[in-house]
Amino acid sequence: MQTFLSKEVYEQLISVYGSPLYVYDETILRQRCREIRQLCKDPGFHPQYSVKANANIELLKIIRSEGIHADAMSMGEVVQEEAAGYTKDEIVVCSNNMTPPEMKFAAEHARITILDSLDQLEQYLKTTGVKQAGIRVNPGIGDGHCTKVITGGNTKFGIPLADIPKAQKIAHDFNASITIAHMHVGSQYLDPSNFLQAAEVLLRVVEQWLPEVTEVDFGGGFGVPYHDEKRLDINDIGKDLDDLIMDFQRRTGRKLSFIVEPGRYLVAECGELIGTVTSIKQNSGTLYAGTDLGFNIMMRHVLYGSTHHIVTTSSSDQTAEYTVVGNICETGDILAEHIKLPTLKPGDQVIVLTTGAYGFSMASQYNGRLRPAEVLHQEDGSFRLIRQRDTFDSLIHQLPSLL
Ligand code: LLP
């Protein structure tokens, strides 16, 4: 796998912006947006970005400029989208376990809200008085890179198939309509067969039970290669979805709008995380490369066991097997285990690839660590700071005694 910059440039970026640092490549981001925009031929097709993958406002502006709408899972995400210029007609809220104030906020700021359970649907219609809502259907089929991110099937998500007629009845009791049927089977699948099977189930649900639906949202989850896995064939998925849509239209005579809401697919590959080696040591037979990349800024390995390709700026022609760790006070603070790298020394840079999705967006200030700066590698080759590194002040500025 290739880094998108040269060793000299990584070293230069660290000297200008400090370590660690997230870098995003605008050209790759726009390319992924265009692929998704072209996914289906059906005129009713429209993609929306699932902002949870990366909510940097400058990246959102680029994604919006490519004609992609936005999905929000929380009110905070709505605020982030609005800051990037998204308007009410471009935002869909798809959340779960919402409070009544959140429901009101969603009704005011998003064109539609998708509810995750029968009682949430009822509460939403009662609280807001809105006459149109969406429901998240659990198609009974899931997929994803690990059980923590598989959402279809026996999980907390969505309304089970058997309860869909009850959702329709609740809507009617409030003189309202269910106009969006939504699903999301899970995240990071590289074989689309479960996704497509679930999409077929969703269309059958709409055909049988939801006559007022005008939009079907197939969710996200399209995977990206983190190592040398085969790329998902996005054109094939598009064709298969178009076929399902055409069959549906032939059977029912209904012409609907269709949505997909990828997060990772748009942003994962445009992002890299750069860190610095701080210490090399041997403990109980393991050679540790200590870095400033604690799990507070990249937690995917700790949380899911996911692995990212790692490259270094070391020019050594010797190699060694390293366990790459961060600077957090926990034994589990590991980025990669037993990987072969050129011999490292303190001061070398490590570059963690494919970290544009669920990297910074899941970062925290655990252990009093500052979240890194983010930099955009623009199409003209220049670099632009798109988020400042946290400051010590950001660790304490919410203390009442300081307000
Ligand atoms: N729509 C809904 C309702 C979702 O819950 C998600 C992701 C998406 C769309 C976008 O999924 P994507 O296209 O990004 O796979 N932190 C985990 C992934 C969690 C995904 C949560 N929901 C990771 O780092 O692998």
Side-chain angles (χ1 to χ4, degrees):
M1 288 185 87
Q2 291 280 318
T3 56
F4 44 70
L5 301 167
S6 68
K7 290 181 178 187
E8 295 68 34
V9 176
Y10 289 114
E11 284 163 357
Q12 221 177 328
L13 285 174
I14 291 300
S15 72
V16 175
Y17 299 105
S19 179
L21 181 70
Y22 274 101
V23 187
Y24 304 105
D25 187 85
E26 181 175 359
T27 307
I28 298 177
L29 175 59
R30 288 194 184 276
Q31 187 185 325
R32 294 290 173 255
C33 289
R34 287 167 197 173
E35 286 171 22
I36 288 295
R37 193 88 173 78
Q38 305 297 323
L39 185 74
C40 290
K41 301 272 172 295
D42 188 274
F45 170 75
H46 202 98
Q48 60 194 26
Y49 171 54
S50 195
V51 172
K52 53 182 80 69
N54 189 322
N56 184 291
I57 309 294
E58 298 304 314
L59 300 187
L60 291 186
K61 285 182 189 165
I62 294 173
I63 293 168
R64 180 167 184 267
S65 76
E66 291 292 338
I68 294 180
H69 290 180
D71 124 59
M73 107 68 66
S74 66
M75 304 317 101
E77 285 189 352
V78 170
V79 169
Q80 287 166 323
E81 289 162 10
E82 288 176 342
Y86 277 104
T87 51
K88 182 173 179 176
D89 56 319
E90 297 168 334
I91 299 175
V92 171
V93 166
C94 176
S95 187
N96 61 77
N97 300 322
M98 297 171 83
T99 61
E102 287 176 325
M103 290 176 175
K104 283 193 190 136
F105 186 99
E108 278 161 25
H109 292 257
R111 72 178 178 86
I112 193 127
T113 303
I114 295 167
L115 288 310
D116 185 61
S117 67
L118 293 178
D119 65 346
Q120 287 260 292
L121 174 66
E122 187 170 347
Q123 270 184 54
Y124 179 78
L125 297 173
K126 202 184 283 173
T127 313
T128 63
V130 168
K131 295 297 171 201
Q132 297 192 333
I135 53 168
R136 177 164 176 169
V137 175
N138 184 326
I141 300 166
D143 209 336
H145 67 79
C146 75
T147 50
K148 287 186 178 130
V149 301
I150 297 174
T151 49
N154 184 10
T155 71
K156 73 165 183 168
F157 290 105
I159 300 176
L161 297 181
D163 283 346
I164 304 299
K166 291 184 196 155
Q168 179 70 358
K169 175 160 183 334
I170 290 169
H172 281 181
D173 290 347
F174 284 89
N175 272 329
S177 323
I178 292 169
T179 57
I180 293 201
H182 169 279
M183 72 168 201
H184 173 70
V185 293
S187 194
Q188 177 65 18
Y189 44 81
L190 286 167
D191 170 353
S193 41
N194 287 330
F195 165 74
L196 291 166
Q197 216 181 316
E200 202 170 346
V201 170
L202 184 64
L203 290 170
R204 292 279 175 192
V205 165
V206 172
E207 179 179 353
Q208 260 184 296
W209 290 311
L210 300 172
E212 288 143 1
V213 156
T214 54
E215 288 180 90
V216 176
D217 182 341
F218 296 115
F222 302 156
V224 299
Y226 280 92
H227 297 281
D228 47 12
E229 307 95 315
K230 189 171 170 296
R231 265 204 101 71
L232 196 60
D233 191 329
I234 210 79
N235 293 328
D236 273 2
I237 297 185
K239 277 191 214 118
D240 288 339
L241 276 181
D242 272 330
D243 286 349
L244 288 178
I245 292 169
M246 256 166 27
D247 275 355
F248 172 86
Q249 284 168 352
R250 227 177 281 129
R251 288 197 310 269
T252 62
R254 290 165 71 182
K255 287 231 180 303
L256 309 183
S257 296
F258 296 93
I259 300 170
V260 290
E261 53 187 33
R264 185 190 318 262
Y265 192 84
L266 298 188
V267 291
E269 291 162 288
C270 79
E272 292 179 348
L273 173 60
I274 315 168
T276 304
V277 176
T278 47
S279 160
I280 302 291
K281 74 173 173 192
Q282 185 104 35
N283 263 9
S284 309
T286 299
L287 184 59
Y288 288 98
T291 72
D292 55 4
L293 298 175
F295 74 75
N296 63 308
I297 55 172
M298 175 32 78
M299 68 184 313
R300 297 196 66 256
H301 183 69
V302 170
L303 199 53
Y304 314 116
S306 307
T307 57
H308 290 251
H309 196 73
I310 295 182
V311 176
T312 83
T313 54
S314 161
S315 45
S316 170
D317 49 13
Q318 310 283 305
T319 60
E321 191 181 287
Y322 292 99
T323 288
V324 183
V325 294
N327 51 7
I328 295 295
C329 276
E330 294 200 25
T331 306
D333 180 26
I334 295 172
L335 198 57
E337 280 159 281
H338 303 295
I339 58 165
K340 207 164 154 194
L341 293 172
T343 308
L344 294 170
K345 57 179 185 329
D348 285 337
Q349 253 78 66
V350 288
I351 300 117
V352 190
L353 304 195
T354 332
T355 44
Y358 306 110
F360 191 96
S361 68
M362 293 171 74
S364 77
Q365 295 177 329
Y366 183 45
N367 274 193
R369 295 286 178 195
L370 306 181
R371 291 173 307 166
E374 297 180 288
V375 163
L376 181 67
H377 182 220
Q378 304 184 108
E379 282 186 305
D380 65 4
S382 63
F383 291 92
R384 179 160 68 92
L385 184 66
I386 55 171
R387 185 199 299 265
Q388 287 192 326
R389 182 176 311 284
D390 283 349
T391 58
F392 290 132
D393 189 49
S394 61
L395 297 177
I396 55 173
H397 76 279
Q398 284 163 315
L399 295 179
S401 59
L402 297 177
L403 292 178

